Structures are given as C-alpha cells and as structure tokens.
C-alpha cells in the first residue's frame, strides 16, 4: 500500500474540497435561478390572489386580479390591429393596453370618488343590494341558458372577486345617478331641460363613418371620405351617401350633446352652422363626414321623454369625466416590470 506524507494528503484533501466547493457553487447557482423563477411565478400567483396593489388611483389601491382582467380583455380586442404578416408589435400593443386600463380605472374610481361626496361607498347598503341583484340575475341567466358561470368568468379572465368588484362599481354608478337626479344636482325640471335642448349644447346631425378595418390602408379611407364630400357638394343626397358609404351601426341622424362623442367629432359638429358639411374628421378607428341640420321642434316635443333621459345621462357622464380627469393612475413598480408575455 502506498504511504503518503502529511503534505501530500493535505494537497489531495484541498483538491477534493475545491472540487466539492465548485460543485456546490454550480448547484447553488442552479438553485438560485430556479428559486428566482419560482419566486417570479409565486409573485404572479400572489398578485393574482389580490394580495398586492397593481395600480394606485388617487388614494385607492387596485389589486392585480382587476388589472389583469382589464389587460387581457383589451389584449384580445386589440391584438389583431397590432398584428401584420403574422408578427405582433407587442411593445406598441402593451403600451396601448396599459393606457386603456389606466383610463378605465380612473373612470371607475371617479364613480367611487363622486359617490363618496354624496354619502355612497362600495359597501353602502343600497350599492350592495343593487350589486347582489345584478350578480343573482347573471347567475340565474347562466343557469337558465345552461352556461357554466365559473367557466364564463375564466373566459373573461375574471376571478369571482373581480366580477363582484365590477358589479359593485356598476351598481354604485346607477345608485349615484339616481341620487343626483333626485337631489336635483342633475337638472330634472321639464322646463329647464327643454330650454337646454333648445340651446347650443344640443344639436342635430347626420354622419357617415368610414371605418379603418383590419388590413385596410388608412390613407385610402381618407380619400374615400373626401370623395363623399365631393359627391355631396356635387349634388348627391346625403341619405344616399349614407347608404353607400357609412359603416356605422346605427348610422344616419342623431341629436347629440357635448360630452357624448369623441372630441374631434364634437369640435367639428358644434363648429358647423345649420346646413353645413364638415371636412374629413379623423377619429380613433376611421373618418367621419358630418352634416349639421336645423333642430326639429316637433321632434323634440314628441320625443321629450327620451331626450330628457339622454340629457340627464350625458350630464352625469360629463361629471364623471371631469372627476376622472382629476385622478392620477399609477402602476406599481412591479407591474411596470411585467412584460406583455408575463401578464396571462
């Protein structure tokens, strides 16, 4: 048997120790990477269990399950518009989705904020009662139609808690509207509403909408819209042009109030005199041509009930928009760090 000196044994021991240490280090690095991956997944799962705030809206904290529901539904809605030749511009799509989600949350919490000014909250008795009715009606509908309620929530990327939150916000909106009308914060006297309908903030228009469908050239649609104006100026009836060109359902004639339509549409429509036609008006998703008409007094009298309701609801929406514009919505640092692919 070979006899080693103390020094030789020491060197062998050190070599083995170093080899073991290297192996441990390699294993440790692998474990760390696995742990990071697991922790990332756990953090997402934790977020989904609504333990962590995803967005701050004013002084309110919005949990991840609510953010996720909005994000993924917008993803499904918008993805086609950001995909060309099989390639999706995920960076642009992600930016658009996040903007829309934050706008939606500002609107929702505008309801909460305005409601709190009038003694309401998401846990108020009236709000809970109405929301419970909405939830029961939805579940009853699913049962009668043999639709799996839980599967429907999953298809909408919605936890039951998120569903309940959305129903409470909707209920609070309805209760708030009734409260403002009953307290005459929104005008309810017939003579005052009629005066408003006869005023300058309520107009009658006809319009043609050329939609930018997927795959269509935007500039080509702009030229089509210009062609419509040219044909009208050449003597063709606007109603005939509506039938040939307009892609809006319902299209044609409408009475509108300020705050009801997109800003570009309203700015063009309210700047017209009776009988004037607009230039091409570009909005999200397409182009409008607008013809302003003289208001029909008989129509206003005969349809006063529905026009009064329209006036009151648009007045209410304008109050909510004003409140939403006062609120800031900020994603948490963690949610900002999530990629398009990680939100699923």
């Amino acid at each position: 048997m070979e006899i080693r000196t103390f020094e030789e044994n020491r060197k062998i021991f050190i070599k083995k120790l170093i080899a073991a240490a290297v192996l441990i280090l390699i294993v440790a690095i692998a474990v760390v990477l696995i742990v990071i991956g697991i922790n990332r997944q756990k953090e997402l799962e934790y977020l989904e269990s609504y333990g962590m705030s995803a967005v701050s809206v004013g002084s309110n904290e919005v949990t991840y399950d609510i953010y996720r529901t909005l994000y993924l539904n917008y993803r499904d809605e918008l993805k086609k518009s950001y995909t060309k030749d099989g390639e999706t511009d995920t960076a642009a799509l992600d930016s658009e989705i996040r903007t829309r989600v934050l706008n939606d949350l500002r609107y929702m919490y505008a309801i909460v904020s305005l409601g709190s000014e009038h003694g309401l909250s998401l846990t108020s008795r009236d709000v809970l009662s109405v929301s419970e009715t909405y939830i029961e009606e939805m579940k009853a509908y699913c049962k009668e139609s043999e639709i799996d309620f839980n599967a429907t929530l999953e298809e909408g990327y919605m936890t039951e808690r998120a569903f309940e939150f959305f129903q409470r916000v909707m209920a609070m909106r309805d209760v708030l509207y009734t409260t403002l009308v009953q307290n005459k914060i929104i005008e309810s006297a017939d003579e005052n509403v009629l005066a408003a309908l006869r005023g300058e903030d309520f107009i009658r228009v006809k319009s043609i909408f050329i939609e930018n469908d997927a795959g269509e050239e935007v500039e080509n649609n702009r030229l089509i819209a210009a062609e419509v104006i040219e044909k009208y100026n050449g003597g063709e009836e606007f109603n005939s042009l509506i039938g040939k060109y307009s892609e809006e359902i319902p299209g044609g004639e409408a009475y509108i109030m300020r705050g009801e339509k997109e800003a570009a549409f309203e700015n063009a429509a309210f700047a017209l005199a009776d009988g004037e036609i607009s230039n091409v008006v570009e909005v999200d998703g397409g182009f409008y041509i607008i013809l302003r008409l003289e208001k029909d007094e008989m129509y206003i009298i005969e349809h006063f009930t529905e026009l009064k309701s329209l006036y009151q609801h648009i007045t209410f929406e304008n109050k909510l928009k004003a409140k939403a514009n006062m609120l800031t919505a900020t994603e948490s640092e963690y949610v900002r760090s999530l990629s398009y692919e990680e939100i699923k």
Side-chain angles (χ1 to χ4, degrees):
M1 182 178 71
E2 181 182 2
I3 299 174
R4 299 189 183 93
T5 65
F6 173 81
E7 184 63 23
E8 287 173 333
N9 283 329
R10 188 182 69 80
K11 289 179 180 178
I12 291 171
F13 176 77
I14 290 173
K15 284 181 180 179
K16 287 182 179 179
L17 187 62
I18 291 172
V22 170
L23 178 61
I24 290 169
L25 181 60
I26 291 170
V27 171
I29 291 172
V31 169
V32 167
L33 291 175
I34 292 169
V35 168
I36 289 172
I38 291 172
N39 284 344
R40 184 73 164 180
Q41 184 59 36
K42 283 183 176 179
E43 284 174 333
L44 283 170
E45 290 172 357
Y46 180 61
L47 281 171
E48 287 187 29
S49 70
Y50 29 88
M52 185 185 291
S53 170
V55 178
S56 297
V57 185
S59 60
N60 302 284
E61 299 298 323
V62 182
T63 49
Y64 181 75
D65 55 333
I66 294 166
Y67 180 90
R68 174 180 175 271
T69 296
L70 296 171
Y71 186 100
L72 293 180
N73 277 281
Y74 273 128
R75 182 201 64 185
D76 289 356
E77 177 187 337
L78 299 172
K79 186 175 181 179
K80 188 175 181 180
S81 301
Y82 285 84
T83 302
K84 189 173 183 180
D85 299 327
E87 293 292 326
T88 302
D89 186 347
T90 56
L93 176 56
D94 178 67
S95 178
E96 174 72 11
I97 293 171
R98 288 175 187 265
T99 297
R100 294 200 182 201
V101 169
L102 294 183
N103 284 340
D104 282 358
L105 291 172
R106 284 169 55 238
Y107 177 82
M108 290 181 196
Y109 279 94
I111 295 170
V112 173
S113 179
L114 188 60
S116 69
E117 294 175 10
H118 297 277
L120 298 173
S121 74
L122 292 175
T123 56
S124 295
R125 182 183 302 173
D126 289 349
V127 172
L128 287 176
S129 177
V130 173
S131 67
E132 286 167 5
T133 299
Y134 291 163
I135 292 170
E136 288 169 5
E137 288 175 350
M138 176 63 77
K139 289 183 176 180
Y141 171 79
C142 287
K143 186 176 181 179
E144 290 170 9
S145 305
E146 298 183 347
I147 298 171
D148 187 324
F149 175 74
N150 291 325
T152 301
L153 293 187
E154 287 181 13
E155 288 172 9
Y157 310 107
M158 199 178 305
T159 63
E160 190 154 358
R161 177 186 175 282
F163 172 72
E164 181 181 330
F165 170 79
F166 293 131
Q167 297 308 306
R168 285 198 190 186
V169 172
M170 186 168 68
M172 188 170 184
R173 180 187 178 282
D174 292 345
V175 173
L176 176 60
Y177 172 78
T178 301
T179 300
L180 297 185
V181 171
Q182 289 177 344
N183 293 338
K184 299 183 180 180
I185 296 168
I186 293 177
E187 187 59 68
S188 59
D190 287 355
E191 62 273 19
N192 294 335
V193 174
L194 186 58
L197 296 178
R198 288 170 174 159
E200 288 302 311
D201 287 337
F202 186 76
I203 61 175
R204 178 189 175 199
V205 298
K206 287 185 179 180
S207 62
I208 294 169
F209 183 56
I210 312 297
E211 186 173 10
N212 295 331
D213 294 317
E216 291 183 342
E217 292 293 333
V218 172
E219 290 309 310
N220 185 55
N221 284 341
R222 192 191 304 274
L223 292 174
I224 293 172
E227 179 183 296
V228 171
I229 295 173
E230 186 178 340
K231 287 188 175 183
Y232 176 77
N233 289 333
E236 191 164 344
E237 291 290 329
F238 200 81
N239 285 345
S240 172
L241 294 168
I242 290 174
K244 291 178 181 178
Y245 290 95
S246 190
E247 300 176 69
E248 188 171 52
I249 301 174
E253 185 174 328
Y255 281 82
I256 65 169
M257 275 184 63
R258 289 191 185 276
E260 183 177 352
K261 295 279 192 178
E262 291 181 79
F265 184 102
E266 286 188 4
N267 291 339
F270 281 92
L272 297 171
D274 291 347
E276 281 188 331
I277 190 170
S278 70
N279 294 320
V280 175
V281 179
E282 185 171 5
V283 298
D284 288 343
F287 301 92
Y288 273 106
I289 305 96
I290 306 163
L291 176 66
R292 180 164 170 175
L293 303 171
E294 182 181 358
K295 285 187 282 193
D296 184 342
E297 178 71 12
M298 187 58 67
Y299 180 90
I300 292 174
I301 298 302
E302 290 177 351
H303 295 83
F304 177 73
T305 300
E306 61 192 77
L307 291 177
K308 177 181 178 180
S309 177
L310 172 66
Y311 169 84
Q312 291 175 319
H313 277 91
I314 298 302
T315 300
F316 178 58
E317 285 300 320
N318 287 340
K319 289 182 178 295
L320 291 177
K321 287 178 185 176
K323 181 63 71 174
N325 288 337
M326 297 170 61
L327 296 175
T328 57
T330 307
E331 292 176 330
S332 68
E333 184 177 344
Y334 185 77
V335 168
R336 284 198 300 274
S337 77
L338 293 176
S339 68
Y340 169 84
E341 291 79 12
E342 287 179 305
I343 301 176
K344 58 187 177 179

